[in-house]
Amino acid sequence: MSADLPMVLVLDDDDDTAALLGMALRRRGFRVVVARSCEEGRARLADSAVDALVTDVSLPDGSGIELVASIEDRPRAVIVVSGFGGDDDREKSRAAGAHAHLVKPVDVARLVSTLNELLGRPS
């Protein structure tokens, strides 16, 4: 796979969700690396040139929103996915530094279009 394709870190502890998002994004022209915890996500962010982060809120060792808020060198696109989509939930994501907040189950087409928009790629 070409190194020119954007690298997306999918951070989700649910195996099915991580596999589905990873497969869908790969099919749409992204390189994907998966992490299952905040600790693993931090390690992946430190080890790889990640263009985008797609993170769940509830992780086994912390909150995806808290992780986003703590990242000093944020990827160009940060998307929080959550089972909750109220105004308060969306505002927490924005305040932490996320560029978008999508509600589960994630609409893959919307996720891809949001990533493309944030990364400046044609849809």
Side-chain angles (χ1 to χ4, degrees):
M1 193 162 289
S2 172
D4 293 339
L5 299 176
M7 173 67 78
V8 179
L9 170 58
V10 173
L11 181 51
D12 199 306
D13 63 320
D14 181 79
D15 291 337
D16 292 337
T17 300
L20 172 71
L21 292 178
M23 181 177 60
L25 291 172
R26 284 183 190 99
R27 286 184 176 169
R28 287 162 178 86
F30 295 92
R31 292 178 296 142
V32 177
V33 62
V34 174
R36 306 272 197 243
S37 67
C38 289
E39 180 181 355
E40 189 179 350
R42 285 183 202 285
R44 296 284 186 187
L45 287 165
D47 291 344
S48 315
V50 174
D51 298 295
L53 169 63
V54 177
T55 183
D56 190 12
V57 172
S58 298
L59 297 163
D61 59 346
S63 161
I65 291 175
E66 290 173 3
L67 173 74
V68 169
S70 72
I71 300 171
E72 289 184 28
D73 190 19
R74 269 192 202 101
R76 292 186 295 149
V78 177
I79 300 172
V80 171
V81 294
S82 171
F84 302 98
D87 290 341
D88 287 347
D89 302 299
R90 293 177 189 281
E91 180 52 35
K92 285 178 187 173
S93 294
R94 276 192 295 275
H99 302 105
H101 180 106
L102 301 179
V103 178
K104 287 183 173 183
V106 176
D107 177 331
V108 172
R110 183 160 182 211
L111 174 61
V112 169
S113 70
T114 301
L115 282 168
N116 284 334
E117 180 183 329
L118 291 170
L119 294 173
R121 290 175 35 141
S123 291

